[in-house]
Amino acid sequence: MSVGAPKGLASSGRKPITEILHPLSAAEEPLSPGPDVTVTVEGDKEPGLTNGTPVETPSPASASLLFNRLQLDNDSEADGRDPYATAETRDLFVTVDDPKKHVSTMETYITYRVSTKTTRIEFDLPEYCVRRRYQDFDWLRTKLEDSQPTHLIPPLPEKFVMKGVVDRFSEEFVETRMKALDKFLKRVADHPVLSFNPHLNAFLSAKDLNKRQGLALLTKVGESVKHAAGGYKLRARPAEFCAMGEYLDTFSHKLGTIDRIAQRIIKEQSEYLTELREYGSLYSNWAGSEEELQRPLEGVGNSVSTCCGALDDLSENMSQDFLPVLREYVLYIESMKSVLRKRDQSQAEYEGRLEAAALRKQEDRTPMPAEVEKCQDKVECFNADLKADWERWQSNKRQDFKQLLTGTADKNIHYYEKCQAAWESLVTLLQDKQAEDKTSETN
Amino acid sequence: MIMADSGSSEEVAAIGSADISPTESENNIINTMVERGTALLRKMEINVAEAEKRTGKNTVNMQETYTVYLIEIRPAEAVPEGGVPATPDTLWRRYSEFELLRTYLLVTYPYIIVPPLPEKRAEFVWHKLSADNLDPDFVERRRVGLENFLLRVASHSVLSSDEIFFLFLTEEKGWRDAVLETGFQEKVDSRLKSLSAMFRVKNPDKRFTALKQYSDEMHAVISQLLRVRARVADRLYGVYKVHGNYGRVFSEWSAIEREMGDGLQSAGHHMDTYASSIDDILEEEEHYADQLKEYLFYTDAVRSVCKKNELIQYELEMAAQDLAHKKQQKEELETGTVRIFSLKGMTSKLFGQESQEQRESRLAALELSIQEEEETLKEKNTECQEFVRTAWGDIERFKEQKNRDLREALISFAIMQISICKKGIQVWSNAKECFNKL
């Protein structure tokens, strides 16, 4: 059996939503659809699979899937390459860009343009263009967490920024935040389950996101997970989830270390830059009191100055591109940990009820209550969802860090290339002059 | 690297060559000195080959450790094919003996810009560099500096033919006595006086004034440059070394990864390589700093030549003033008019005129004195003119040398920077390859 998306609930009066079947339920019968619900299969042979994700086994980190991810996006309409989606079967493209400042009497805030292109029938139109602010993203994420508690929801950039410490309206801050929001939305759109969530649909398409009214679209699982808060203690986390937990802890720690190292490098580079600037200007000063040596000295001063500019660019890049991605992954790890905890809770509830029922059975031989079975299903679903998301997350992480680290190496190479060019042109200039002088001397 | 085939003794850098290190650049400078040729250098090759630590009793009978340097002299002729190079004549000298030699040269040739010695104590150091005189790196750089000093003296048209210098190179034991016998010690005191004296010249030679100002400016600028350079070196060291931390954390991270493990581990090694490359880089840069320091110290030598000129000029003016004064006295005595207040005049008024005899004897004495003073003045004039002529000749030579050497040093500095960039690109490219395999 599988956990489905909301059944038969309209979202803002549009067409009813597809029954979302679990990606791992490939072998099982699709749920008999309700009167309003249709099952769509997008470009894939296996029935019941959503989004055409060619999952043969419950490990999307398999070679073929990875290959798909790494494929160049030749036939997509996407603005840029999205390393997360499979090339052939993507049918939902989202982009966040174009930040604008809005000033009202009450407050000042930034909105971003969210553009959507899609062929999915869940959407009425093939294209949407709406403006959303951070609050709206936050709302979306909360709704996703509530309605899909068994899934890993990608993180958002930090919500609170200390006023006075960071300028919320500086170009850099807005740019960094926007990139993170774009990444968040793309990850959601790429997720085989999350991307069909009606809240996402509303977020992408509604003219006015009426959040207060709230789309009461809680899944069955959502409700029951919320109620499962009460006091069940987990006895033993299964080994594989333990391994996940340990991995996340260690990984988070390492990322923290890398973050500190990167910050230290930025600091050292900044201090080096200060001294280097003075150093360069001294050569230029010296040039002023020399005749024959004026050109070489000025040349050195200029080359040093060029290197300063290149270093400035490098450091800025570290701050703006490298560090935010690291920090975002730390948040991602926290999300994953919280999903693990929820899974633990759900298992705890099941075990608790099971125990209680077993005791009662002993006493008065009543059959296993249906609740217990439901709990068991819940746990199994949760485990399956989590495992699938975990594999996806691992694969994405690998891609993301490969890109991040290669990019950093590139920036450093670029920095040295710029410096080398500056010095080489100086040497050529000076050696040419030297040759000139010598020929004129010997003549 | 050095194209010696063209026969032109002026070519010191191969055109378009981008591989000269600062040490090679120093060699270029030395080759220029050698090729410009003096009689001395035509005869012999000079090296400061080694350094050794010695312990011994000093003048106050206390144990001390000091370093001695081995000077090697070889005949300058080329070794025939298959022949054995002649064994060099060698002797050991310590730094204080070099100092003694230089002081002797300074007072004996006050119109010459005498080449400076490498610094007595390490200055302008950045934190990783040792300020210890016995530190092997410092000793090595000093050895190079001392050799440079000897070659500069040996290639100087005037200084190279000095007997004491020759003995310094050839006579280990008897040299000290020979130097002291020249009696240069007295001149040392008068020179010190002249350097610190606060006299005012009425008609200073404008060229020397300008030169002194230029020299002072250069001193200030190079000092500042060396100070900031040390700070830059410190900071750059920090940047490189922090990257070494990546090595460790990548290694730890790789332990929890499956597919990413190998790539991270290798990349970490490259980061370690990057971090440790800074030591060599900064070591090489010290040679460049030494080249700047030489010219910093040269400014002191230039300054003292200017000062000497001032002193001579001053003495000349004083002598001329004296003579004028005496001539006036004579005139008064002859004509009987007292224009200038003098004690004699006063006492004459008070106690009566002196006798004709007295007057005549005084006049005779004055005449003699005037004659002597005129001779002195003539000598001083000649001395002054001679000084200006010879000094200015050496100054012109020095200017050309300075321009050549510093230009060479700047080119080699640029080349060093290129090499640093290339190394950086290499390491990061290697790391990138590892990251690509993640």
Side-chain angles (χ1 to χ4, degrees):
Chain A
M1 62 157 277
S2 60
V3 175
K7 293 194 233 185
L9 278 174
S11 57
S12 338
R14 293 180 211 277
K15 269 218 196 119
I17 297 157
T18 330
E19 170 87 327
I20 299 170
L21 292 177
H22 199 280
L24 297 183
S25 63
E28 303 185 45
E29 292 271 49
L31 263 187
S32 48
D36 316 329
V37 172
T38 48
V39 175
T40 56
V41 175
E42 200 74 49
D44 203 71
K45 308 89 209 157
E46 299 197 39
L49 283 182
T50 60
N51 205 25
T53 315
V55 176
E56 294 110 16
T57 67
S59 66
S62 61
S64 58
L65 189 61
L66 275 176
F67 175 73
N68 288 332
R69 287 193 199 285
L70 297 172
Q71 242 180 5
L72 273 176
D73 222 348
N74 288 322
D75 39 25
S76 80
E77 302 166 300
D79 303 335
R81 267 211 321 269
D82 187 338
Y84 309 110
T86 51
E88 317 128 347
T89 51
R90 257 201 299 160
D91 56 358
L92 176 65
F93 304 97
V94 294
T95 312
V96 179
D97 61 7
D98 189 38
K100 276 196 167 44
K101 199 192 251 186
H102 295 255
V103 185
S104 73
T105 44
M106 296 287 284
E107 53 174 350
T108 306
Y109 59 91
I110 307 269
T111 61
Y112 307 87
R113 177 177 64 187
V114 176
S115 321
T116 309
K117 286 198 179 80
T118 181
T119 53
R120 289 189 187 176
I121 60 161
E122 292 76 16
F123 292 84
D124 288 341
L125 301 174
E127 281 188 37
Y128 292 96
C129 196
V130 295
R131 293 210 75 94
R132 299 284 182 246
R133 55 187 287 192
Y134 182 92
Q135 273 180 16
D136 304 332
F137 285 85
D138 196 35
W139 168 88
L140 174 62
R141 187 172 193 279
T142 312
K143 287 293 177 211
L144 287 174
E145 258 189 335
D146 289 344
S147 57
Q148 313 275 190
T150 63
H151 283 289
L152 171 66
I153 318 292
L156 278 178
E158 295 284 356
K159 183 178 197 150
F160 298 109
V161 268
M162 297 237 284
K163 293 187 195 177
V165 176
V166 178
D167 178 10
R168 288 182 301 141
F169 303 110
S170 77
E171 240 185 80
E172 286 166 15
F173 178 78
V174 170
E175 176 86 18
T176 308
R177 191 176 245 203
M178 189 182 76
K179 281 192 203 155
L181 292 174
D182 181 75
K183 206 174 246 186
F184 163 75
L185 211 54
K186 282 184 158 78
R187 280 173 172 154
V188 173
D190 179 56
H191 196 283
V193 175
L194 297 180
S195 62
F196 286 92
N197 189 289
H199 296 92
L200 177 68
N201 194 313
F203 178 90
L204 293 175
S205 56
K207 269 287 160 239
D208 292 304
L209 203 54
N210 204 338
K211 296 174 284 196
R212 259 177 287 118
Q213 205 180 71
L215 308 162
L217 306 166
L218 284 178
T219 63
K220 276 179 150 185
V221 175
E223 274 181 30
S224 52
V225 167
K226 277 174 89 176
H227 294 323
Y232 290 102
K233 272 276 172 207
L234 181 68
R235 239 162 275 162
R237 197 190 242 183
E240 62 185 322
F241 297 113
C242 274
M244 283 184 197
E246 274 168 28
Y247 174 88
L248 290 172
D249 282 335
T250 312
F251 187 41
S252 176
H253 187 254
K254 295 310 151 200
L255 287 183
T257 307
I258 294 177
D259 187 298
R260 275 193 302 280
I261 295 172
Q263 279 187 61
R264 180 74 188 280
I265 290 177
I266 291 171
K267 177 165 175 291
E268 297 281 346
Q269 277 176 345
S270 152
E271 297 187 339
Y272 170 60
L273 187 59
T274 309
E275 302 293 352
L276 198 63
R277 284 214 163 101
E278 192 184 339
Y279 191 50
S281 71
L282 283 174
Y283 279 102
S284 304
N285 287 351
W286 187 4
S289 51
E290 291 288 337
E291 293 163 1
E292 280 237 8
L293 289 176
Q294 191 191 20
R295 258 229 260 166
L297 287 171
E298 249 173 31
V300 170
N302 289 338
S303 296
V304 171
S305 175
T306 306
C307 293
C308 288
L311 184 61
D312 210 4
D313 290 340
L314 181 65
S315 291
E316 201 182 286
N317 173 261
M318 279 275 265
S319 304
Q320 287 209 276
D321 293 333
F322 187 74
L323 286 179
V325 173
L326 283 182
R327 290 177 183 159
E328 175 200 292
Y329 255 88
V330 173
L331 293 175
Y332 220 160
I333 289 172
E334 290 310 309
S335 300
M336 188 54 120
K337 280 197 202 167
S338 99
V339 173
L340 268 176
R341 281 195 290 274
K342 285 192 222 157
R343 188 218 70 87
D344 286 348
Q345 272 182 325
S346 144
Q347 181 179 333
E349 192 200 343
Y350 164 63
E351 286 174 355
R353 286 187 195 269
L354 186 64
E355 216 177 274
L359 281 169
R360 256 180 285 134
K361 192 173 182 183
Q362 273 182 347
E363 288 165 18
D364 52 9
R365 279 189 238 122
T366 46
M368 196 67 67
E371 291 162 29
V372 178
E373 274 187 37
K374 267 196 249 172
C375 270
Q376 188 181 27
D377 289 340
K378 238 188 334 193
V379 173
E380 281 172 16
C381 254
F382 214 138
N383 290 349
D385 282 350
L386 190 55
K387 277 193 264 195
D389 277 355
W390 173 264
E391 291 302 329
R392 173 179 293 104
W393 182 82
Q394 281 287 3
S395 165
N396 286 347
K397 171 209 80 183
R398 192 173 165 188
Q399 263 305 100
D400 286 343
F401 276 93
K402 175 173 168 171
Q403 199 177 38
L404 182 72
L405 293 169
T406 333
T408 303
D410 256 337
K411 290 290 185 326
N412 275 280
I413 292 170
H414 199 39
Y415 157 71
Y416 279 115
E417 282 174 347
K418 278 193 246 180
C419 294
Q420 185 177 337
W423 291 109
E424 274 175 347
S425 67
L426 177 67
V427 169
T428 322
L429 181 75
L430 294 181
Q431 282 182 336
D432 281 347
K433 176 116 200 320
Q434 209 169 38
E436 269 174 45
D437 290 343
K438 290 203 164 62
T439 43
S440 65
E441 257 181 66
T442 50
N443 280 347
Chain B
M1 227 58 72
I2 301 158
M3 299 211 285
D5 51 11
S6 65
S8 156
S9 64
E10 320 254 310
E11 271 193 87
V12 288
I15 314 275
S17 155
D19 297 322
I20 306 180
S21 68
T23 30
E24 283 170 354
S25 146
E26 276 187 67
N27 284 337
N28 287 348
I29 293 173
I30 288 172
N31 283 329
T32 318
M33 287 194 268
V34 169
E35 281 159 3
R36 276 175 185 241
T38 53
L40 187 69
L41 283 178
R42 276 194 283 277
K43 264 197 298 178
M44 55 163 73
E45 240 180 63
I46 307 174
N47 289 106
V48 176
E50 284 163 38
E52 238 178 52
K53 270 216 261 278
R54 296 272 170 84
T55 39
K57 293 266 168 89
N58 65 5
T59 45
V60 289
N61 221 29
M62 290 181 57
Q63 280 284 98
E64 59 168 3
T65 312
Y66 55 91
T67 314
V68 286
Y69 300 87
L70 185 69
I71 303 181
E72 282 183 355
I73 309 291
R74 281 188 181 81
E77 59 242 1
V79 181
E81 271 293 325
V84 177
T87 39
D89 289 326
T90 65
L91 44 72
W92 294 94
R93 292 271 183 235
R94 51 186 296 192
Y95 186 83
S96 55
E97 292 176 279
F98 279 86
E99 279 185 304
L100 189 58
L101 171 66
R102 185 165 189 268
T103 310
Y104 162 78
L105 290 172
L106 277 172
V107 300
T108 314
Y109 303 93
Y111 52 94
I112 298 285
I113 298 169
V114 177
L117 286 170
E119 55 192 355
K120 198 175 174 74
R121 256 166 290 281
E123 294 200 36
F124 304 109
V125 289
W126 55 283
H127 84 274
K128 269 286 164 182
L129 206 61
S130 173
D132 177 17
N133 280 8
L134 295 170
D135 180 80
D137 286 335
F138 179 78
V139 167
E140 171 57 21
R141 291 207 321 278
R142 187 181 255 193
R143 181 196 67 76
V144 173
L146 291 174
E147 184 178 279
N148 193 47
F149 166 75
L150 291 179
L151 287 171
R152 287 220 191 265
V153 174
S155 61
H156 192 283
S157 52
V158 173
L159 299 176
S160 61
S161 40
D162 184 275
E163 180 66 18
I164 296 293
F165 176 60
F166 184 77
L167 289 176
F168 181 85
L169 297 173
T170 52
E171 197 72 36
E172 183 159 350
K173 301 288 186 231
W175 176 75
R176 199 171 254 272
D177 292 332
V179 148
L180 293 173
E181 263 173 46
T182 61
F184 80 104
Q185 295 281 51
E186 298 125 27
K187 293 197 209 158
V188 173
D189 295 329
S190 90
R191 177 176 177 269
L192 280 173
K193 236 188 350 159
S194 87
L195 283 178
S196 55
M198 285 271 116
F199 47 81
R200 264 205 61 225
V201 177
K202 292 209 192 91
N203 288 315
D205 187 325
K206 287 208 171 58
R207 289 187 303 172
F208 279 97
T209 314
L211 181 64
K212 181 140 81 85
Q213 192 179 1
Y214 167 79
S215 168
D216 288 345
E217 262 174 40
M218 189 185 222
H219 185 100
V221 130
I222 298 185
S223 301
Q224 184 65 348
L225 200 65
L226 285 168
R227 240 189 309 270
V228 176
R229 186 207 75 91
R231 295 206 297 257
V232 167
D234 241 340
R235 293 296 176 200
L236 190 62
Y237 184 81
V239 170
Y240 271 73
K241 284 299 180 193
V242 175
H243 278 83
N245 291 316
Y246 276 145
R248 194 173 53 242
V249 76
F250 281 171
S251 177
E252 292 167 5
W253 180 12
S254 73
I256 60 169
E257 295 290 343
R258 295 176 314 204
E259 304 103 349
M260 289 170 75
D262 288 336
L264 286 173
Q265 182 88 313
S266 324
H269 289 150
H270 291 304
M271 288 294 100
D272 286 332
T273 307
Y274 181 73
S276 60
S277 68
I278 190 67
D279 295 307
D280 284 342
I281 287 171
L282 290 176
E283 161 102 21
E284 252 202 83
E285 232 195 51
E286 281 309 311
H287 288 283
Y288 170 71
D290 284 341
Q291 288 175 307
L292 290 181
K293 277 182 204 169
E294 192 192 15
Y295 276 89
L296 179 69
F297 303 145
Y298 254 127
T299 58
D300 289 331
V302 172
R303 179 166 229 274
S304 73
V305 171
C306 294
K307 267 286 183 177
K308 179 70 180 176
N309 167 263
E310 261 179 65
L311 181 66
I312 292 176
Q313 182 82 359
Y314 179 73
E315 285 173 356
L316 184 65
E317 282 178 3
M318 285 294 107
Q321 208 173 51
D322 259 351
L323 183 63
H325 185 93
K326 287 213 163 85
K327 280 190 173 164
Q328 192 148 43
Q329 275 187 313
K330 177 182 154 196
E331 199 201 312
E332 278 173 21
L333 220 56
E334 280 170 348
T335 57
T337 55
V338 182
R339 251 176 283 125
I340 314 165
F341 175 83
S342 73
L343 197 58
K344 226 23 178 154
M346 265 336 292
T347 51
S348 301
K349 277 211 151 140
L350 292 171
F351 304 111
Q353 290 278 336
E354 50 188 353
S355 66
Q356 180 72 8
E357 259 174 35
Q358 280 175 314
R359 226 186 38 190
E360 272 172 15
S361 79
R362 273 221 292 138
L363 213 59
L366 210 55
E367 267 287 350
L368 205 62
S369 177
I370 285 171
Q371 267 177 359
E372 279 171 11
E373 291 240 5
E374 272 177 344
E375 277 300 315
T376 313
L377 189 63
K378 240 199 300 200
E379 278 167 21
K380 280 234 178 304
N381 228 329
T382 317
E383 185 193 350
C384 188
Q385 282 173 351
E386 192 57 22
F387 183 92
V388 169
R389 189 186 65 82
T390 48
W392 212 259
D394 199 52
I395 288 163
E396 291 299 330
R397 176 206 62 80
F398 171 75
K399 278 191 185 160
E400 269 181 57
Q401 174 199 298
K402 170 209 79 167
N403 287 334
R404 244 192 346 262
D405 289 348
L406 287 180
R407 189 202 186 88
E408 188 68 34
L410 290 172
I411 292 177
S412 79
F413 177 73
I415 288 170
M416 190 169 52
Q417 300 304 311
I418 292 170
S419 152
I420 294 171
C421 292
K422 283 186 176 162
K423 279 194 215 161
I425 291 172
Q426 183 64 59
V427 165
W428 282 103
S429 300
N430 291 340
K432 182 177 170 185
E433 236 179 79
C434 298
F435 292 142
N436 261 326
K437 298 206 192 103
L438 283 180

